[in-house]
Amino acid sequence: MQETRAEPQEASKPMKRRAGIGENALPMKEITTDSHIYQTTGIGELDRVLGGGIVEGALILVGGEPGIGKSTLLLQMSASLSRMGKKVLYISGEESLRQIKLRARRLGDDETDILLLSENAMDNVREKLETLKPDYCVVDSVQTMYLPEMSSAPGSVSQVRESAAILMRYAKESGCGVILVGHVTKEGALAGPRVLEHMVDAVLYFEGDKTHEYRLLRAAKNRFGSVNELGVFEMASDGMREVKNASESLLSSRARGASGSCVVCAMEGTRPVLVDIQALATRSYYQVPRRTVNGMDNSRVILLLAVMEKRAGLRLYDKDVYINVAGGLDLTEPAADLAVCCSVASSMCDRPLPPDVCVVGEVGLAGEIRAVPRLERRVQECARLGFTRVICPRDSASRLKAVPEVEVRGVDTIAQAFAVLDVFPSRQG
Ligand code: TYD
Ligand code: MG
């Protein structure tokens, strides 16, 4: 429970009316639309997640754990916009101008015209915005901003909400694209940014282990685009580097020829990514065997283990099973089911899968393989990366246009998939 105090209602002040907003309700067919104009940020992966770029007057929240790279990416974005001739104001409540300059030097972006401001007080921020009239503004972070007239501490729910409300009003009135940074903790204790989700036009979250070099940017909400897109970055010594070829990077350190590894082609939005799923099944010395899952839903894996035990005869009840999705990616798609089963079976009988095989398919409770969407896109990605065989649901396979170089093999059940891949449980030890 967090105590919040009722404050003078700053947010409820009437907004200046924007052009085009009439007094009366209008029939829909009489309303004219001019489609959104997206300003590219010059960073392709960021544009992809934003739905094409930043729309005029948009308020965008970029959340993530401290240290994940929010400030770095937004400084790079500011520099890129500035090089395109846009006026960008970068307001930091956390770092001094010197610190920002030093960071920019590391990124090779220090010779740009970005306007830097080190400020915490919202009334000054608003004043500066009104005099400078930037095209884009970054506020890093919204938790450090405060309204002096409010008694609660900076970072409290009411301060964060009021500060964001002021910035929203400014964005909508002036057409300036405002990007807010919000810190989020690992436990998802988001007192700050979560309360803003309903106010802003788009919410982007940075994910990824700080111990992994990959940083994944996902949209949790976007009024101007799809929320399924994924942006992949890599934290390098000179800032966030775009990873355009995600599949190749994710597979680069794959243990070829080892048992318990299976490649799946998962869809992240409209983009196919090849990911290595690793499984380790070992004899258990515990009363209750362990199931440890990294990068997937735990209960989904337990369900799959039960299906394998019942429908394909794998003896798993006395085995500890560990599943890891390589690269720090989080797979949510059921199309990864069959690959999990194959990697477990491969580990059980200690027979590696052929290195040029990719597996996709959802597994049902009867052990049947169910259709997956966008199979053609997935098969094309497999072909691009030199995979020559794809094991997939028979149903989807029959509707697929042939892709040269790739042999597509449809299967009906997990037992069939195991037989095709020669990881049949009869060999298990
Ligand atoms: P930062 O952008 O400050 O994170 P956030 O704003 O989300 O809190 O990123 C900080 C981390 O990134 C820090 O641990 C150092 C690392 N880093 C690099 O590896 N390379 C770089 O070029 C920069 C600027 C930072
Ligand atoms: Mg920061």
Side-chain angles (χ1 to χ4, degrees):
M1 301 294 277
Q2 197 172 354
E3 182 190 7
T4 56
R5 238 177 254 235
E7 297 287 351
Q9 284 294 299
E10 176 70 36
S12 55
K13 262 200 244 159
M15 241 196 248
K16 216 194 288 170
R17 195 166 274 135
R18 281 172 76 194
I21 300 182
E23 301 256 302
N24 299 320
L26 284 175
M28 192 189 281
K29 65 179 182 213
E30 285 176 21
I31 299 170
T32 53
T33 56
D34 30 335
S35 54
H36 301 302
I37 297 162
Y38 296 91
Q39 166 64 49
T40 166
T41 60
I43 300 175
E45 294 291 295
L46 181 58
D47 285 346
R48 179 206 297 276
V49 181
L50 285 170
I54 304 177
V55 173
E56 191 183 291
L59 183 66
I60 299 162
L61 175 68
V62 178
E65 285 171 53
I68 196 117
K70 302 181 291 296
S71 307
T72 306
L73 181 67
L74 293 178
L75 195 57
Q76 285 175 285
M77 181 202 78
S78 304
S80 163
L81 285 168
S82 167
R83 275 194 286 266
M84 288 180 220
K86 305 286 175 197
K87 189 167 178 183
V88 186
L89 177 63
Y90 188 100
I91 305 170
S92 179
E94 303 189 337
E95 290 162 304
S96 67
L97 300 184
R98 224 180 79 83
Q99 277 175 307
I100 303 171
K101 167 97 182 179
L102 283 174
R103 185 201 298 262
R105 180 167 301 158
R106 196 166 157 185
L107 306 173
D109 286 332
D110 53 337
E111 295 302 321
T112 51
D113 297 321
I114 312 172
L115 295 167
L116 297 180
L117 176 68
S118 187
E119 183 59 82
N120 287 110
M122 267 322 287
D123 41 359
N124 289 345
V125 167
R126 183 165 41 185
E127 214 181 285
K128 283 282 173 358
L129 282 170
E130 269 153 22
T131 49
L132 293 170
K133 296 195 178 18
D135 300 315
Y136 297 94
C137 168
V138 176
V139 179
D140 187 2
S141 66
V142 68
Q143 274 113 335
T144 54
M145 297 297 150
Y146 73 98
L147 280 145
E149 63 262 31
M150 285 171 67
S151 50
S152 48
S156 66
V157 173
S158 46
Q159 286 281 15
V160 167
R161 203 190 293 137
E162 284 306 309
S163 303
I166 290 175
L167 291 164
M168 174 171 75
R169 202 156 338 113
Y170 177 76
K172 300 300 165 199
E173 285 170 10
S174 68
C176 169
V178 177
I179 296 101
L180 305 177
V181 173
H183 291 297
V184 171
T185 61
K186 187 103 193 165
E187 295 72 39
L190 313 145
R194 275 278 150 98
V195 301
L196 302 180
E197 278 189 355
H198 69 281
M199 290 172 60
V200 300
D201 296 312
V203 182
L204 312 186
Y205 279 114
F206 251 121
E207 298 167 11
D209 236 311
K210 262 182 272 176
T211 50
H212 274 105
E213 70 264 50
Y214 294 116
R215 302 281 188 271
L216 310 171
L217 189 64
R218 259 181 235 277
K221 159 180 176 177
N222 193 349
R223 288 185 182 146
F224 310 115
S226 148
V227 290
N228 296 319
E229 295 299 343
L230 170 78
V232 186
F233 295 91
E234 197 177 353
M235 186 52 117
S237 58
D238 56 350
M240 299 284 255
R241 211 174 281 159
E242 291 180 68
V243 179
K244 293 220 169 75
N245 203 337
S247 300
E248 208 163 277
S249 312
L250 285 167
L251 292 183
S252 59
S253 50
R254 177 157 71 116
R256 283 169 169 269
S259 66
S261 154
C262 181
V263 174
V264 63
C265 186
M267 294 301 292
E268 290 286 353
T270 57
R271 163 194 236 186
V273 274
L274 291 175
V275 193
D276 185 18
I277 296 183
Q278 296 185 300
L280 189 65
T282 56
R283 203 186 128 196
S284 181
Y285 294 94
Y286 299 93
Q287 200 104 73
V288 181
R290 308 191 62 149
R291 274 85 176 90
T292 305
V293 182
N294 205 349
M296 282 187 81
D297 180 25
N298 200 48
S299 50
R300 184 82 200 164
V301 170
I302 289 170
L303 182 147
L304 292 173
L305 297 180
V307 172
M308 276 190 273
E309 180 126 23
K310 179 90 178 173
R311 307 291 178 191
L314 264 76
R315 202 175 111 182
L316 286 159
Y317 59 82
D318 59 353
K319 305 278 192 306
D320 290 335
V321 178
Y322 305 91
I323 304 279
N324 181 40
V325 178
L329 210 71
D330 239 327
L331 288 184
T332 49
E333 224 197 357
D337 289 354
L338 186 56
V340 173
C341 297
C342 292
S343 62
V344 171
S346 158
S347 176
M348 289 273 294
C349 65
D350 204 16
R351 287 178 66 90
L353 300 182
D356 57 347
V357 165
C358 179
V359 177
V360 280
E362 177 178 345
V363 173
L365 291 187
E368 82 279 21
I369 311 298
R370 298 172 156 260
V372 294
R374 295 181 190 255
L375 186 62
E376 194 166 325
R377 218 32 222 95
R378 298 180 206 249
V379 173
Q380 283 164 354
E381 178 76 357
C382 293
R384 199 175 67 78
L385 282 149
F387 284 76
T388 55
R389 271 207 293 168
V390 174
I391 312 291
C392 67
R394 190 184 300 280
D395 206 32
S396 316
S398 57
R399 279 179 276 128
L400 187 75
K401 248 194 285 151
V403 178
E405 305 125 35
V406 180
E407 178 203 339
V408 175
R409 178 73 187 264
V411 289
D412 295 310
T413 62
I414 42 174
Q416 255 182 39
F418 293 167
V420 168
L421 292 169
D422 201 15
V423 286
F424 208 62
S426 60
R427 294 169 189 270
Q428 69 183 279

